[in-house]
Amino acid sequence: MTQAKINSFLMGVLLAICTIWLLVPFTMAILWSLVDPAQPWTPDHLLPPQMSTYRWTNMWENSALKPALLNSYTLAPITAIVTLLLAMPTSYCLARVPFPGREVAKLLVLLPLVVPGFVTAIFFTAILFQLGLTQSRFLAILIAHCVLFLPYAIRTLTVGFEQVRQDHIDAARDLGASPIARFRAAYLPALRPSIFASLLIVFIQSIEEFAIAFIVGSPDFTTVPTLLFSRLGQDFIRPDAAVLSLILVVPNVILMLFLEALLKSANPTLSSGKG
Amino acid sequence: MTWRRCATVLLLLMPGLGLIVSLIGMVVYVAIAQSFGLYNLNGDSVFTVAHWAEMLDRKLYTRAVTYSIYIGVWSAILAVAFAYPLAIWLRKPFRGSIIIGAILKAPLLVQGLVAAFLFINVISYHGIFNQLMQAIGLWDEPRRLQNDRGAIGVLFLQTWKNMPFALLLLTGAVQAIPDDVLDAARDMGAGTFARFRKIIAPLSLSAMQAALVIIFIGAVADFSFQVIAGPTNRQSLAQLMVFVRQTSWHEAAVVGVTLMVIALAGSLLLAIAARLILKGPFSR
Amino acid sequence: MSKIIVQDLTMQFDQFVAVNKVSFEVQQGEFVTLLGPSGCGKTTLLKMISGFLTPTQGRIHIGGKDVTRTPPEDRDTALCFQSYALFPHMTVRGNLEFGLRQQRTPAGDRKARVSQIAVQLSLEQQLGKLPNALSGGQQQRVALGRALSMQPGVILFDEPLSNLDAKLRDQVRFEIKRIQHENALTAVYVTHDQSEALALSDRVIVMRDGQIEQIATPEDLYHTPATSFVADFIGNANVMPAEVIGEADGGGWILDSKIGQLISRDPRDPQAKKINIAWRPELAHVTPEGPLSGTVVSRAFQGNFTDLHVVTQGQSYRLQVPHSDVSVGDEVAFGLDAKDVLMLEPSR
């Protein structure tokens, strides 16, 4: 009884905090993105006196937003697919081939997460300069992103490969399945959620990544985060920054919710004991 | 048989782990080499400790070191300190606990720069926070809160962004503790605090260490929060590194190596400290 | 046609010898069970026959062909897994068809074969369901049907009943036997449950520590176990040391044991002066005029009989009596027929 009361009280407090935590900042951002330049939003008004989508259309037509979006949204899917392909063999090996030093290998996989992002970014450019490979910023960022996000892909897929049941593989073999048929019958169903998860995680990470894109891409290769950074820094225009923030955060939130739903729906049926 | 097996393992690890180790290995190697004057991109490479000597002598550098450590340690401790009670509270599902968990974890989905923008938007001179304080009557006039000298803004942002991550790790660990174990402790007369100290804390130690270390590494190397919301009279190590690279790769390398060493040593110290406090000489 | 010949089969994992020079034959259409406690090597042996493990030494022939190094997908064997290993994302039909699809069987034949199996195993109603929606017994039948769909010469069972509850187990047991008989399959069945082995098998191979302890029909195994291990493992015989002190008048041997003097009319001659003897607890006659006696230390009512734990001169043993009013602490007198006292290997 008291436990329930405490819980409902704590929940009330928490919901209030969360409104401040999430709702207020985002509402502010949305409102700022709708401020019409004809009439500035002054502190004496609770809401912007005149609202329009001018900032949105203006950003779309008169800024580096289009190339930035193009860069971000071509870079991310390619990174996701290449990372998946690179991660597959290593994950298979870590999950299903026992070898001495496997635990060490699993730790080494985390290396890119331990080295600070800006250190990687700066000395990766140093290597590029050293080798004279400065023609394609896109390719350079792609390579760096793949390496940076391989740990996520390998970890996710290793769990997937671990969930493949040996008796399913054996049963498929026993029934005369070729390696491809075996992969489709025994591996793929257990692996599918991890593959989607890996693609989504890497995609989101690549869209959000700032350090590499900022250092390797500077001065002329922009992604959405680098564009936002420039709007937050030297030429700070609040409504423009609000527009960019929303462009950056909304698709990723939707993707993340999708990912969560996917992982929840896919796992129980496959990991349940028999069947 | 064993040779073939060995070759298979190596071949399988090549595209994933091989790529990671070679590229990150190269990055770390080049950083260290450049800090000692090698791999000069604009002239002759000479092995020298002059860059180290010069940087260690500069006030900018030493201030950046202490400042980054300050941000790293406090971010890690604050995030974990907020996450622990929440994780214990959310251990057993109750009505609404899923929504609460989701709301608490939402900041994970918000990109760092966006988080920084939302924050400075709220605390700006004419922002909603200042207006609220005036409306309540606590403050007579708006105050300048952005880029505060104590870096409270940066710490707030770090905690806001990282607490959900600590919560994620700790909830997993705390939920893995069987009810029977806690009931047994209770049966033998352990109170709420004793159950935390003797059962929950030791059993979730590794999750807590992981959270501390990962948040510390991220915060110690922070760039964006510092540039947007941090004090203007000092620089974080990442900021300093980007700044001095404009004039000298070697000096940037010194800062970069410093950053890596601090990240590594700090992680170790934090993990050991957490262990000592939770399991160490005091708990027997 | 599908005779199995196993010769000197050895499987070594690092230092551990799981199966040690095992040889036996299984005739076409015969049902043979590998029986033994966990860790005796019976599953390893089955995995070598099915092809999932390659033996360190020895040969396996199936249907006249040497298949020692043939991979499982190319063997004429079908395995029923302990966990069933049904593909969770495929319907019952999908599971039953899987092997036939791998062989590229034409759709018409495939359909006919699946419906024939479904009828045989009464799975007609379940064909469209996913394995998760089935009961344990139904899942077991699908696993059996999937193995049968391949029309294998040899069917292999790896403890197929261990995930079923006791009542269902009896039912599925009869079903397995019926299917094997109807299809004239050569079957090798692995279990640690002696009652399954006795009920199903034409012959039983008792294994212990990677070696064969005895190969015999269920009746012979029960009535004339070769060793005290078999006597104890099958039906918990009373095993105790005894000394052969001479031949009895009218045949048989006189034995001296802690519970008293016994006569054995085991057709086998004693192998040494000091041997182990065995006798079945249910074959003792409990009568007041019995020449043997002991003190009851505990009793357990089991329904159709009562189990008495009895001690004579420090030697403890069991008696099973249909009904009894003895209580703990009482003396109980009983007798043993000479034909029921078995002489086993020399005692240590």
Side-chain angles (χ1 to χ4, degrees):
Chain A
M1 236 1 232
T2 44
Q3 181 68 30
K5 258 185 191 162
I6 293 172
N7 274 343
S8 57
F9 171 73
L10 283 174
M11 247 177 77
V13 172
L14 209 82
L15 280 173
I17 292 173
C18 285
T19 321
I20 303 164
W21 195 248
L22 291 173
L23 211 63
V24 170
F26 274 104
T27 317
M28 295 289 289
I30 293 167
L31 290 177
W32 269 107
S33 79
L34 295 172
V35 171
D36 194 279
Q39 227 179 328
W41 188 11
T42 46
D44 47 327
H45 289 91
L46 188 64
L47 289 174
Q50 193 177 340
M51 290 203 265
S52 73
T53 55
Y54 170 79
R55 295 284 175 183
W56 290 82
T57 47
N58 183 49
M59 277 299 283
W60 179 251
E61 273 155 18
N62 304 319
S63 76
L65 179 60
K66 261 186 276 187
L69 274 174
L70 187 71
N71 284 338
S72 278
Y73 280 86
T74 42
L75 192 63
I78 298 175
T79 307
I81 291 166
V82 174
T83 307
L84 177 77
L85 295 177
L86 291 173
M88 277 286 209
T90 295
S91 306
Y92 171 78
C93 191
L94 291 179
R96 302 204 75 88
V97 185
F99 62 92
R102 186 154 73 161
E103 292 312 307
V104 179
K106 280 185 178 173
L107 281 179
L108 280 178
V109 163
L110 302 177
L111 217 51
L113 304 182
V114 179
V115 179
F118 271 86
V119 174
T120 310
I122 286 182
F123 297 98
F124 179 63
T125 16
I127 294 169
L128 290 178
F129 276 129
Q130 189 82 23
L131 301 173
L133 297 172
T134 46
Q135 299 88 345
S136 175
R137 304 263 174 208
F138 184 87
L139 197 64
I141 297 176
L142 177 68
I143 294 169
H145 274 193
C146 286
V147 173
L148 216 53
F149 305 138
L150 261 172
Y152 300 101
I154 291 176
R155 273 289 161 125
T156 314
L157 290 168
T158 304
V159 173
F161 272 111
E162 277 165 355
Q163 276 173 353
V164 177
R165 278 170 49 182
Q166 187 62 41
D167 61 346
H168 287 155
I169 304 171
D170 288 351
R173 279 190 84 176
D174 194 55
L175 295 165
S178 63
I180 294 168
R182 236 178 277 161
F183 181 80
R184 289 196 19 194
Y187 284 92
L188 203 55
L191 218 48
R192 195 173 282 128
S194 325
I195 290 175
F196 280 125
S198 162
L199 285 173
L200 273 173
I201 292 170
V202 174
F203 182 91
I204 293 169
Q205 293 279 350
S206 171
I207 291 269
E208 291 189 344
E209 202 281 331
F210 172 63
I212 300 276
F214 179 60
I215 298 289
V216 181
S218 72
D220 41 50
F221 188 92
T222 51
T223 62
V224 182
T226 61
L227 190 63
L228 173 61
F229 182 73
S230 71
R231 284 296 188 282
L232 286 172
Q234 59 261 40
D235 37 17
F236 180 49
I237 307 163
R238 201 183 296 273
D240 286 359
V243 169
L244 283 172
S245 290
L246 291 171
I247 287 176
L248 187 51
V249 89
V250 171
N252 286 357
V253 168
I254 294 167
L255 282 176
M256 275 291 216
L257 295 177
F258 183 64
L259 173 72
E260 186 112 325
L262 178 97
L263 290 182
K264 251 182 206 145
S265 72
N267 267 342
T269 49
L270 286 169
S271 54
S272 71
K274 289 181 202 88
Chain B
M1 184 65 191
T2 45
W3 269 110
R4 264 185 59 190
R5 196 182 179 80
C6 199
T8 317
V9 167
L10 283 178
L11 217 64
L12 286 169
L13 292 180
M14 202 73 80
L17 186 59
L19 191 63
I20 288 175
V21 170
S22 53
L23 199 123
I24 299 295
M26 252 171 13
V27 162
V28 173
Y29 172 73
V30 166
I32 295 172
Q34 284 197 331
S35 78
F36 288 107
L38 302 171
Y39 283 100
N40 193 337
L41 298 174
N42 313 311
D44 290 337
S45 296
V46 186
F47 180 86
T48 170
V49 291
H51 304 294
W52 278 95
E54 194 186 324
M55 283 309 280
L56 285 167
D57 225 25
R58 277 163 74 175
K59 208 165 177 210
L60 202 62
Y61 172 83
T62 42
R63 282 181 77 177
V65 168
T66 45
Y67 176 69
S68 281
I69 292 174
Y70 164 80
I71 293 291
V73 171
W74 278 108
S75 300
I77 290 174
L78 284 173
V80 170
F82 279 108
Y84 235 130
L86 290 170
I88 293 168
W89 181 40
L90 293 172
R91 195 178 87 85
K92 296 270 261 180
F94 54 86
R95 209 165 58 88
S97 64
I98 293 174
I99 302 172
I100 296 207
I103 292 174
L104 285 173
K105 283 170 198 149
L108 275 180
L109 313 185
V110 181
Q111 208 263 355
L113 291 167
V114 176
F117 168 71
L118 295 177
F119 176 68
I120 57 167
N121 209 8
V122 167
I123 62 155
S124 64
Y125 192 74
H126 288 302
I128 196 165
F129 185 71
N130 262 320
Q131 291 192 333
L132 183 76
M133 292 311 251
Q134 282 175 278
I136 297 172
L138 280 176
W139 294 350
D140 295 332
E141 54 186 33
R143 296 187 184 183
R144 212 186 125 70
L145 300 169
Q146 204 179 330
N147 310 103
D148 67 294
R149 290 180 160 247
I152 292 168
V154 175
L155 285 179
F156 178 86
L157 271 171
Q158 288 286 1
T159 310
W160 187 83
K161 185 87 176 84
N162 287 317
M163 192 280 285
F165 179 72
L167 182 64
L168 206 67
L169 286 180
L170 288 173
T171 318
V174 170
Q175 277 175 348
I177 301 171
D179 282 343
D180 289 351
V181 171
L182 288 172
D183 288 347
R186 198 173 191 169
D187 193 46
M188 285 178 272
T192 311
F193 187 66
R195 286 207 296 282
F196 174 76
R197 286 278 284 111
K198 300 269 165 69
I199 314 286
I200 296 176
L203 286 177
S204 52
L205 175 67
S206 52
M208 190 183 101
Q209 285 175 318
L212 280 175
V213 163
I214 293 171
I215 295 171
F216 172 77
I217 291 176
V220 90
D222 168 51
F223 176 87
S224 3
F225 289 168
Q226 166 60 21
V227 171
I228 294 164
T232 42
N233 65 338
R234 57 186 80 188
Q235 290 186 308
S236 75
L237 280 168
Q239 196 182 9
L240 180 67
M241 178 170 62
V242 174
F243 175 66
V244 298
R245 185 183 65 119
Q246 292 163 348
T247 51
S248 161
W249 280 94
H250 300 296
E251 286 169 9
V254 170
V255 182
V257 173
T258 310
L259 189 47
M260 284 192 284
V261 170
I262 289 174
L264 206 69
S267 303
L268 269 175
L269 286 176
L270 270 178
I272 293 168
R275 197 193 158 75
L276 283 182
I277 292 167
L278 291 185
K279 273 192 174 169
F282 316 114
S283 70
R284 274 162 213 205
Chain C
M1 196 175 71
S2 290
K3 180 176 172 176
I4 305 172
I5 303 171
V6 170
Q7 279 173 335
D8 288 331
L9 217 53
T10 299
M11 186 72 218
Q12 195 168 352
F13 301 104
D14 294 328
Q15 298 302 309
F16 174 68
V17 184
V19 172
N20 193 0
K21 289 202 173 158
V22 164
S23 302
F24 62 87
E25 291 184 6
V26 183
Q27 303 303 324
Q28 158 65 32
E30 194 182 17
F31 197 118
V32 166
T33 298
L34 300 174
L35 175 68
S38 58
C40 71
K42 56 190 190 302
T43 300
T44 308
L45 190 50
L46 192 78
K47 281 191 171 170
M48 288 191 281
I49 298 173
S50 54
F52 291 107
L53 284 175
T54 310
T56 328
Q57 260 174 44
R59 308 234 67 87
I60 304 166
H61 294 259
I62 295 177
K65 270 190 296 187
D66 185 337
V67 295
T68 314
R69 296 192 172 272
T70 311
E73 51 269 37
D74 298 333
R75 288 195 193 193
D76 187 23
T77 57
L79 179 55
C80 267
F81 289 81
Q82 180 173 19
S83 59
Y84 314 146
L86 300 177
F87 301 121
H89 57 298
M90 294 182 192
T91 58
V92 169
R93 179 185 291 283
N95 270 283
L96 293 177
E97 282 184 338
F98 185 83
L100 299 170
R101 279 183 188 274
Q102 304 311 316
Q103 293 179 331
R104 308 197 185 284
T105 310
D109 296 359
R110 212 164 62 209
K111 234 181 162 162
R113 182 86 189 117
V114 167
S115 46
Q116 184 199 341
I117 287 170
V119 170
Q120 202 173 16
L121 291 164
S122 18
L123 287 168
E124 300 100 311
Q125 305 300 313
Q126 327 296 339
L127 284 176
K129 293 186 187 165
L130 287 175
N132 280 348
L134 303 184
S135 69
Q138 286 168 332
Q139 290 184 5
Q140 170 62 60
R141 289 214 295 277
V142 177
L144 181 57
R146 190 175 66 176
L148 287 174
S149 72
M150 304 288 287
Q151 294 185 291
V154 173
I155 189 156
L156 307 169
F157 297 94
D158 184 8
E159 310 220 11
L161 305 183
S162 57
N163 285 324
L164 299 177
D165 57 50
K167 208 166 183 182
L168 215 52
R169 216 175 284 178
D170 280 350
Q171 201 183 322
V172 179
R173 188 155 83 182
F174 284 116
E175 198 141 13
I176 286 177
K177 184 71 187 167
R178 173 176 67 82
I179 300 282
Q180 181 261 340
H181 194 72
E182 279 176 10
N183 296 278
L185 291 164
T186 308
V188 178
Y189 186 103
V190 161
T191 183
H192 63 268
D193 180 349
Q194 44 123 347
S195 69
E196 263 173 47
L198 296 181
L200 283 167
S201 320
D202 297 321
R203 281 190 304 152
V204 179
I205 299 175
V206 182
M207 290 189 67
R208 178 196 190 187
D209 298 336
Q211 285 179 309
I212 291 178
E213 193 82 4
Q214 188 174 4
I215 305 182
T217 63
E219 289 79 6
D220 285 351
L221 210 57
Y222 191 83
H223 294 300
T224 51
T227 63
S228 42
F229 174 80
V230 176
D232 179 52
F233 194 73
I234 312 278
N236 289 326
N238 290 313
V239 177
M240 52 192 64
E243 201 176 328
V244 183
I245 53 176
E247 284 190 60
D249 303 334
W253 300 81
I254 305 169
L255 304 165
D256 192 24
S257 78
K258 280 198 176 156
I259 63 167
Q261 236 178 41
L262 303 166
I263 294 174
S264 166
R265 253 177 228 133
D266 192 328
R268 298 170 291 195
D269 281 342
Q271 296 171 24
K273 194 161 167 56
K274 290 192 171 177
I275 55 170
N276 278 330
I277 60 164
W279 48 277
R280 297 280 166 199
E282 73 274 18
L283 294 178
H285 312 289
V286 176
T287 57
E289 51 275 10
L292 307 165
S293 69
T295 313
V296 178
V297 288
S298 75
R299 51 168 285 169
F301 177 64
Q302 302 276 10
N304 49 351
F305 64 88
T306 301
D307 231 341
L308 301 176
H309 283 246
V310 184
V311 172
T312 308
Q313 292 192 50
Q315 173 71 51
S316 63
Y317 51 94
R318 291 192 318 157
L319 298 176
Q320 284 174 0
V321 292
H323 35 75
S324 148
D325 42 16
V326 289
S327 41
V328 173
D330 288 354
E331 282 287 306
V332 61
F334 64 98
L336 284 170
D337 287 348
K339 67 172 174 31
D340 296 332
V341 179
L342 306 170
M343 295 187 292
L344 306 173
E345 78 282 356
S347 68
R348 272 177 286 130

